[in-house]
């Protein structure tokens, strides 16, 4: 079929009539399908069930740091630091273990900076203006944290090789109010980009106007390869920053949230020793330790990085058909119509779809009316405001493969109908 914009209004009206009939059939099925959030499927969660049998009342709870059942070991057991350090590409001595979710860790990091400052610098709450750079489209929960603290967020376009580094350098190197940037360097949420070596090195060689500027490097998908035999690789930002003379400039975050059990995993921050000492000042007043039994459970289950890789290869076997099905249906239904474009990520949890300008909200609403729940249009931008109203995040992981295919087909019908309305109005 030829591109929609080359069709006459009569052709578009006729096509709309046909598609409306198909859409009404879907509506009549009373469906309840969900492609809204990147939740692991039940089959994925089942992969980690054996971990629950690793420890029991007869287990040995001793580690290099002593008995995990008791108080102490503020920054986490050594074995867990080594495990997470291997996963996050960081030395164990640069790792602090945290709780069940890296989101909590990122929130705490912003909160600490806001109330008490970073390494002796003025607390952000005492400054007239605090700004964060936000590569877009991006992760809605990152933006929610900075918005909660009243931090001004600035959109930075995300290119195929990473954020627009000319803009990043312009802001960071010249504006003292810019205190941080959110980054998902490997399989970016939602578009799936992997930062190039050049981009990572440019990050490491920034010359911030603010002494307390930090890169918030969320390594959420560092082992989430859809094609484990051909994984994307991103340079280690910690070592690159050290080489560039900026050892304290980055906080690297990671967790097992989508590796084992979301909400019951382990998380960690990898950063410089100076930053670690600064973080410990808060932690000493906040808690005695995070859940060391859960840390040990993960260590005994995985043993090492090879164990994590083998486990994630099983995840990939479950996820890959879902992503390939979405791509196949989008290509079959929309290729050549010039009413949308989408990413084909090699890992992570999302597909990013860009509709015609001004169509995303209407597409998401139309999907909902047909029983398909999508992430809210605009969620991938700060303040929920997509300036083009075009980006939609597709999350293929949770539905069954059969339900996913049906949801993707309904999505395509909605894209076509809303696009036709847009062109007929022109």
């Amino acid at each position: 079929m030829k591109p929609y914009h080359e069709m006459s209004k009569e052709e578009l009206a006729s096509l709309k009539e046909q598609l409306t009939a198909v859409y009404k059939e879907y509506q009549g099925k009373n469906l309840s399908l969900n492609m809204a959030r990147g939740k692991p499927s039940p089959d994925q969660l089942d992969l980690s069930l054996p971990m629950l049998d690793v420890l029991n009342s007869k287990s040995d709870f001793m580690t290099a740091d002593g008995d995990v059942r008791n108080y102490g070991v503020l920054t986490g057991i050594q074995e867990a630091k080594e495990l997470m350090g291997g996963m996050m590409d960081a030395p164990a001595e640069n790792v602090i273990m945290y709780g069940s979710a890296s989101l909590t860790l990122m929130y705490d990091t912003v909160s600490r900076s806001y109330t008490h400052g970073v390494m002796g610098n003025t607390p952000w709450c005492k400054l007239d203006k605090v700004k964060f750079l936000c590569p877009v489209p991006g992760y809605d929960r990152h933006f929610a944290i900075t918005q909660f603290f009243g931090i001004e967020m600035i959109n930075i376009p995300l290119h195929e090789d990473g954020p627009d580094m000319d803009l990043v350098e312009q802001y960071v190197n010249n504006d003292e109010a810019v205190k941080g940037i959110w980054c998902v360097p490997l399989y970016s949420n939602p578009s799936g980009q992997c930062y190039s070596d050049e981009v990572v090195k440019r990050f490491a060689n920034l010359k911030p106007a603010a002494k307390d500027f930090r890169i918030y490097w969320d390594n959420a998908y560092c082992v989430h390869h859809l094609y484990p035999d051909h994984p994307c690789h991103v340079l280690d930002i910690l070592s690159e920053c050290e080489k560039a003379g900026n050892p304290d400039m980055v906080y690297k975050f990671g967790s097992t949230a989508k590796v084992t059990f979301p909400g019951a995993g382990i998380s960690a921050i990898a950063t410089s020793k100076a930053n670690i000492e600064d973080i410990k000042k808060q932690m000493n007043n906040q808690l005695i330790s995070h859940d060391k039994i859960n840390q040990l459970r993960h260590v005994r289950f995985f043993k090492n990085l090879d164990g994590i890789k083998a486990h994630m290869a099983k995840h990939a076997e479950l996820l890959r058909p879902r992503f390939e099905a979405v791509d196949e249906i989008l290509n079959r239904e929309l290729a050549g119509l010039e009413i949308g474009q989408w990413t084909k990520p090699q890992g992570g949890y999302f597909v990013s779809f860009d509709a015609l300008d001004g169509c995303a909200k209407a597409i998401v609403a139309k999907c909902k009316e047909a029983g398909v729940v999508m992430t809210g249009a605009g969620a991938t931008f700060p303040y929920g405001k997509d300036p083009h109203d075009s980006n939609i995040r597709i999350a293929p992981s949770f539905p069954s493969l059969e339900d996913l295919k049906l949801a993707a087909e309904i999505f395509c019908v909605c894209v076509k109908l809303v696009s036709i309305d847009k062109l007929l109005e022109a």
Side-chain angles (χ1 to χ4, degrees):
M1 190 177 288
K2 62 184 177 182
Y4 278 12
H5 67 84
E6 293 181 5
M7 292 184 180
S8 66
K9 290 193 181 292
E10 290 75 18
E11 288 175 311
L12 288 172
S14 174
L15 184 56
K16 179 180 178 180
E17 186 177 345
Q18 298 170 38
L19 289 167
T20 299
V22 174
Y23 180 74
K24 286 182 177 177
E25 281 185 28
Y26 283 130
Q27 281 187 305
K29 295 179 184 289
N30 294 316
L31 299 169
S32 180
L33 306 173
N34 194 312
M35 290 200 296
R37 296 219 70 89
K39 294 167 62 174
S41 66
D43 287 346
Q44 288 177 264
L45 299 178
D46 287 347
L47 295 173
S48 297
L49 285 177
M51 189 176 70
L52 301 180
D53 301 322
V54 167
L55 296 178
N56 57 44
S57 62
K58 294 181 172 56
S59 296
D60 173 14
F61 290 91
M62 296 302 293
T63 68
D65 295 290
D67 191 337
V68 298
R69 297 173 300 173
N70 218 325
Y71 286 126
V73 197
L74 177 69
T75 59
I77 63 173
Q78 179 65 22
E79 293 89 341
K81 292 179 182 179
E82 291 172 0
L83 180 70
M84 291 300 289
M87 191 178 92
M88 297 168 66
D89 198 12
E93 60 265 27
N94 291 96
V95 172
I96 292 179
M97 297 304 303
Y98 220 72
S100 62
S102 56
L103 186 66
T104 307
L105 175 48
M106 289 184 279
Y107 178 96
D108 269 9
T109 305
V110 172
S111 179
R112 179 177 57 253
S113 305
Y114 189 82
T115 59
H116 285 74
V118 178
M119 289 175 60
N121 288 281
T122 304
W124 296 351
C125 65
K126 296 182 178 179
L127 300 174
D128 292 335
K129 180 73 73 174
V130 177
K131 303 175 185 177
F132 245 69
L133 305 185
C134 301
V136 292
Y139 182 28
D140 53 337
R141 291 190 179 272
H142 285 165
F143 306 151
I145 292 172
T146 33
Q147 183 174 357
F148 182 78
F149 285 94
I151 294 169
E152 179 184 336
M153 294 180 283
I154 299 169
N155 291 0
I156 301 293
L158 190 60
H159 301 315
E160 283 301 312
D161 61 347
D164 183 328
M165 290 308 295
D166 290 341
L167 263 183
V168 171
E169 288 167 352
Q170 178 184 325
Y171 278 111
V172 173
N173 295 353
N174 297 291
D175 189 347
E176 193 178 1
V178 174
K179 301 298 185 182
I181 180 171
W182 291 114
C183 292
V184 182
L186 186 64
Y187 309 129
S188 291
N189 177 353
S191 44
Q193 286 98 333
C194 299
Y195 290 11
S196 69
D197 290 357
E198 180 188 355
V199 163
V200 176
K201 288 178 179 179
R202 288 180 73 175
F203 264 117
N205 284 276
L206 288 170
K207 298 175 175 58
K211 293 179 181 178
D212 52 349
F213 170 82
R214 294 292 184 270
I215 302 166
Y216 283 60
W217 199 258
D218 185 1
N219 229 348
Y221 308 115
C222 57
V223 291
H224 295 75
H225 312 293
L226 290 174
Y227 302 91
D229 292 337
H230 304 93
C232 289
H233 177 73
V234 172
L235 281 182
D236 171 36
I237 186 68
L238 276 176
S239 57
E240 290 299 322
C241 281
E242 193 165 345
K243 285 184 212 170
N246 289 317
D248 303 327
M249 196 169 62
V250 62
Y251 299 129
K252 186 189 281 192
F253 305 96
S255 81
T256 64
K258 288 184 173 71
V259 176
T260 54
F261 299 118
I266 55 176
S267 65
I269 183 171
T271 189
S272 70
K273 291 180 180 178
N275 280 331
I276 286 175
E277 290 305 311
D278 197 45
I279 293 167
K280 283 167 65 178
K281 292 175 186 175
Q282 172 202 339
M283 292 182 72
N284 274 316
N285 294 287
Q286 185 181 30
L287 75 164
I288 295 174
S289 71
H290 286 288
D291 187 346
K292 300 189 299 296
I293 292 178
N294 198 27
Q295 293 172 23
L296 181 60
R297 184 182 293 117
H298 278 73
V299 168
R300 297 265 173 93
F301 181 61
F302 288 121
K303 296 181 176 60
N304 52 37
L305 179 59
D306 287 339
I308 293 177
K309 288 180 177 179
H311 184 77
M312 294 310 294
K314 297 174 185 176
H315 276 267
E317 290 296 320
L318 296 171
L319 282 170
R320 190 164 54 245
R322 289 170 162 84
F323 278 81
E324 290 178 345
V326 168
D327 187 67
E328 188 275 325
I329 290 167
L330 291 176
N331 270 296
R332 185 182 73 220
E333 297 295 328
L334 301 179
L337 302 183
E338 298 183 16
I339 57 174
Q341 54 188 8
W342 56 92
T343 59
K344 187 179 180 180
Q346 301 299 296
Y349 260 71
F350 303 101
V351 174
S352 182
F353 184 91
D354 284 312
L356 297 177
D357 282 11
C359 289
K361 287 181 181 177
I363 291 168
V364 169
K366 206 162 196 66
C367 284
K368 186 175 182 180
E369 290 168 10
V372 177
V373 178
M374 309 288 298
T375 302
T380 54
F381 285 75
Y383 310 108
K385 295 179 180 177
D386 176 356
H388 296 285
D389 184 26
S390 64
N391 187 252
I392 300 170
R393 186 176 74 178
I394 300 172
S397 59
F398 186 72
S400 68
L401 188 56
E402 182 181 350
D403 283 350
L404 177 67
K405 289 178 179 178
L406 181 57
E409 288 169 357
I410 294 171
F411 173 78
C412 290
V413 170
C414 295
V415 170
K416 291 175 182 177
L417 282 168
V418 172
S419 301
I420 289 172
D421 284 342
K422 171 82 172 178
L423 293 167
L424 287 173
E425 290 169 2

